[in-house]
Amino acid sequence: MSNLTGTVYRSTGSWYDVKDIHGKDWRARARGVFKVEGITSTNPIAVGDEVVLEPEPGQEEVAQIIDILPRQNYISRQSPSHRKQHHIVASNLHQSLLVATIKNPRTSTGFIDRFLIAAEAYHVPAVLAVNKADTWSKKEEEIFAAWQGIYEPLGYAMLATSAATGQGLPQLKAMLAGKTTLISGHSGVGKSSLLNALMPGFSLRTKEVSQWSGKGMHTTTFAQMFDLPEGGHVIDTPGMREFGIVHMERAELSHYFPEMRNLIHQCQFNNCQHLEEPGCAIKAALEAGQINANRYLGYLSVFDSLPQNHWE
Ligand code: GDP
Ligand code: ZN
């Protein structure tokens, strides 16, 4: 049987679930050691990867992965056990969806901003769904409108959704159709509920998984890709709070703020960090109300958390 290409749907350590171009499922193992793009990664093959399969002679639906095709993009996070290594969470993404909530639980705008910065750094377009809209009173409606006023002008589409009533789900479906979307967000915001609403049959899977994923089993930490009925895929990353802002220097940070990007070259100093320097175009825009004060505070907070620039 000749080799064929497929897409990785799930990685559970040494075995991978791969769907080939004809729609057939394979269990596959990596042959040899892959070093992709010269990076040290704890998992060389990630969900979303396009791979070359060599079927195992005499074994039904079992194959070896003999090559990984070049990635369009990928997102990674720091390995929990080795600080210097990173862990590729998913690759070949069209976009990333953050599911947030205004209450029960409350997603902070600081968290939303960190998500958006990471998405910008990985060149993965970001979209936002603010879920549990059915529980909102006037106060939450106002917060949602304020968030929309901040994020939509920056190019991030933001929907109000409810997995409970179906509000916003046609728009969410349209947003996801035909694309590969990574879903993230705090636990409890309704990611599984939204996936259930979007994919008939998905509830079966969540039930199965929760039954056999007893204490101490790490089944829920693996990213997994699902097919959407309208075409396209979603990648669920249970247990992953956020994908990290890894390998970022302070000097880069303002490039990942769409409202700052075009102003940076107008600062008096070309190494301006937009803190207290004279002639700073970012501070001027902030004072003129062209940059949202909360977003600027988000900039400062992430700036403080990053290591110093290599020349400092
Ligand atoms: P996940 O951890 O992000 O996957 O969140 P779940 O889908 O498990 O949902 C967490 C809780 O919120 C569950 O009790 C859901 O029933 C509830 N929930 C999810 N979406 C909604 C929603 O749109 N409205 C309301 N009222 N509750 C929701
Ligand atoms: Zn500046």
Side-chain angles (χ1 to χ4, degrees):
M1 206 173 168
S2 56
N3 295 348
L4 31 96
T5 56
T7 307
V8 177
Y9 273 60
R10 198 156 94 108
S11 142
T12 54
S14 48
W15 285 95
Y16 300 91
D17 294 344
V18 180
K19 191 178 281 198
D20 74 24
I21 47 165
H22 309 295
K24 184 178 158 178
D25 294 319
W26 297 82
R27 303 262 297 139
R29 263 210 281 222
R31 182 158 81 202
V33 177
F34 293 100
K35 211 174 169 192
V36 181
E37 288 134 28
I39 53 172
T40 333
S41 168
T42 49
N43 66 327
I45 301 172
V47 172
D49 274 347
E50 300 286 324
V51 295
V52 179
L53 294 175
E54 184 181 286
E56 289 274 13
Q59 280 185 283
E60 281 290 308
E61 290 155 21
V62 179
Q64 289 194 359
I65 295 172
I66 60 167
D67 202 6
I68 308 174
L69 303 183
R71 294 183 175 119
Q72 305 300 314
N73 58 22
Y74 64 86
I75 63 135
S76 65
R77 61 173 169 158
Q78 207 165 56
S79 156
S81 41
H82 308 273
R83 274 195 60 105
K84 287 243 166 76
Q85 286 199 322
H86 69 195
H87 175 97
I88 297 182
V89 177
S91 69
N92 299 321
L93 303 165
H94 292 115
Q95 62 187 1
S96 174
L97 168 72
L98 180 70
V99 181
T101 39
I102 295 173
K103 62 173 193 184
N104 304 321
R106 161 128 201 177
T107 307
S108 70
T109 49
F111 183 79
I112 296 175
D113 289 332
R114 288 184 68 86
F115 165 85
L116 294 174
I117 292 163
E120 293 284 342
Y122 288 113
H123 304 291
V124 177
V127 291
L128 305 159
V130 188
N131 194 38
K132 307 198 185 185
D134 59 290
T135 67
W136 296 351
S137 60
K138 193 158 177 291
K139 185 176 136 223
E140 286 80 26
E141 294 283 356
E142 282 167 9
I143 294 172
F144 177 74
W147 284 8
Q148 257 190 330
I150 297 173
Y151 294 107
E152 290 212 321
L154 303 177
Y156 306 118
M158 182 181 260
L159 292 177
T161 61
S162 168
T165 65
Q167 180 187 341
L169 294 192
Q171 292 87 331
L172 184 60
K173 251 184 204 175
M175 208 180 238
L176 304 182
K179 293 182 171 158
T180 299
T181 306
L182 181 87
I183 300 203
S184 42
H186 284 303
S187 165
V189 295
K191 295 180 298 296
S192 318
S193 306
L194 286 172
L195 291 176
N196 282 332
L198 294 169
M199 294 183 293
F202 182 76
S203 56
L204 205 74
R205 181 207 72 103
T206 44
K207 227 186 249 147
E208 274 168 20
V209 171
S210 60
Q211 272 166 11
W212 53 264
S213 68
K215 291 183 217 88
M217 279 184 72
H218 296 293
T219 45
T220 55
T221 61
F222 294 112
Q224 187 166 2
M225 183 149 84
F226 301 98
D227 295 332
L228 290 167
E230 298 77 18
H233 317 277
V234 289
I235 299 177
D236 184 28
T237 54
M240 189 180 71
R241 242 177 55 104
E242 62 182 312
F243 49 88
I245 298 177
V246 285
H247 307 306
M248 194 181 290
E249 280 194 351
R250 288 177 165 185
E252 293 172 69
L253 183 58
S254 54
H255 297 257
Y256 305 131
F257 282 73
E259 67 272 57
M260 297 187 186
R261 205 179 279 146
N262 296 328
L263 294 171
I264 297 162
H265 64 275
Q266 292 172 26
C267 292
Q268 187 177 326
F269 298 106
N270 64 11
N271 62 352
C272 185
Q273 304 196 105
H274 327 300
L275 306 172
E276 298 296 337
E277 296 93 333
C280 172
I282 303 297
K283 289 297 282 277
L286 176 70
E287 273 141 38
Q290 288 152 359
I291 287 179
N292 177 275
N294 243 313
R295 288 274 293 169
Y296 181 72
L297 290 178
Y299 170 81
L300 293 182
S301 142
V302 176
F303 185 93
D304 281 339
S305 74
L306 294 178
Q308 295 204 326
N309 297 309
H310 65 273
W311 62 82
E312 286 178 305

